[in-house]
């Protein structure tokens, strides 16, 4: 009989130890989850403070933008300086000194007037006799390459 009671006592003791361990594990899990939750709350508060400062900054920027809109944007004086076209370019644009921007405008009016823009790829320009001299003998030139080639003919 003594053996039976001692076995029962040991079983009860092991069960109690197991339940205590389980209870402590659950408690530690709860503590860690609480810590994580408090960290999340702290980050949310910090985020709201940042958002409030951003709103103030955007209001200041908006008032600064309103002031900037009143002043007109000035053109770069280098673009507006009159340049003398070469003899080949003067056949298309004219012989008087004109700014670089006007040279490009007049070239485009010449291209559209003589229907020299490529039908399939509108970015390409098919050169006629006058434009071949400007484009260095090339028959087709892209619109981006055209300004590079024209700049060689301006002084």
């Amino acid at each position: 009989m003594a053996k039976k009671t001692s076995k029962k006592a040991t079983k009860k003791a092991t069960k109690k130890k197991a339940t205590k361990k389980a209870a402590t594990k659950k408690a530690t899990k709860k503590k860690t989850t609480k810590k994580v939750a408090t960290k999340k709350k702290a980050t949310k508060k910090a985020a709201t403070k940042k958002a409030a400062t951003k709103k103030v900054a955007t209001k200041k920027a908006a008032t600064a933008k309103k002031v900037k809109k009143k002043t007109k944007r000035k053109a770069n004086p280098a673009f507006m300086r009159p340049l003398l076209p070469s003899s080949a370019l003067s056949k298309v644009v004219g012989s008087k000194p004109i700014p670089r921007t006007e040279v490009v405008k007049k070239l485009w009016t010449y291209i559209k007037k003589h229907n020299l823009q490529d039908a399939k790829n509108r970015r390409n320009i098919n050169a006629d006799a006058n434009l071949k001299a400007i484009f260095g003998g090339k028959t087709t030139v892209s619109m981006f390459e055209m300004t590079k080639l024209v700049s060689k003919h301006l002084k």
Side-chain angles (χ1 to χ4, degrees):
M1 200 75 168
K3 282 186 180 180
K4 285 184 180 179
T5 55
S6 64
K7 281 184 181 179
K8 284 182 182 179
T10 54
K11 282 184 181 178
K12 283 183 180 179
T14 53
K15 282 183 182 179
K16 283 182 180 178
K17 284 181 184 176
T19 54
K20 281 184 182 178
K21 283 183 183 178
T24 54
K25 283 183 182 179
K26 286 180 182 177
T28 55
K29 284 183 183 178
K30 286 181 182 177
K31 285 179 183 176
T32 55
T33 54
K34 284 181 182 178
K35 287 179 183 177
V36 172
T38 54
K39 285 181 184 177
K40 286 181 182 177
K41 287 179 184 177
T43 54
K44 285 181 183 178
K45 287 178 184 176
T48 54
K49 286 180 184 177
K50 286 180 185 177
T53 55
K54 284 182 182 179
K55 286 179 184 177
V56 172
T58 53
K59 286 180 183 177
K60 287 180 183 177
T63 55
K65 285 181 184 178
K66 288 178 184 176
V67 175
K68 286 182 182 178
K69 286 182 182 178
K70 290 179 183 176
T71 58
K72 269 194 172 180
R73 188 174 155 230
K74 293 181 182 178
N76 190 346
F79 286 122
M80 302 313 292
R81 190 176 77 227
L83 299 168
L84 188 68
S86 67
S87 60
L89 187 60
S90 65
K91 291 178 184 176
V92 178
V93 176
S95 59
K96 293 181 180 178
I98 53 172
R100 189 181 304 268
T101 54
E102 290 298 317
V103 170
V104 174
K105 280 182 186 178
K106 287 187 178 185
L107 261 171
W108 274 108
T109 53
Y110 179 85
I111 290 165
K112 288 180 180 179
K113 182 180 177 183
H114 291 87
N115 200 20
L116 299 173
Q117 212 169 357
D118 193 30
K120 288 182 181 177
N121 189 356
R122 304 286 289 169
R123 284 187 252 171
N124 289 343
I125 297 147
N126 300 322
D128 64 348
N130 290 336
L131 290 179
K132 259 189 190 176
I134 298 167
F135 296 157
K138 293 182 179 180
T139 54
T140 57
V141 174
S142 72
M143 64 171 67
F144 307 110
E145 192 180 359
M146 178 187 77
T147 53
K148 177 184 167 186
L149 295 168
V150 167
S151 67
K152 293 176 184 176
H153 291 274
L154 294 170
K155 293 181 184 178

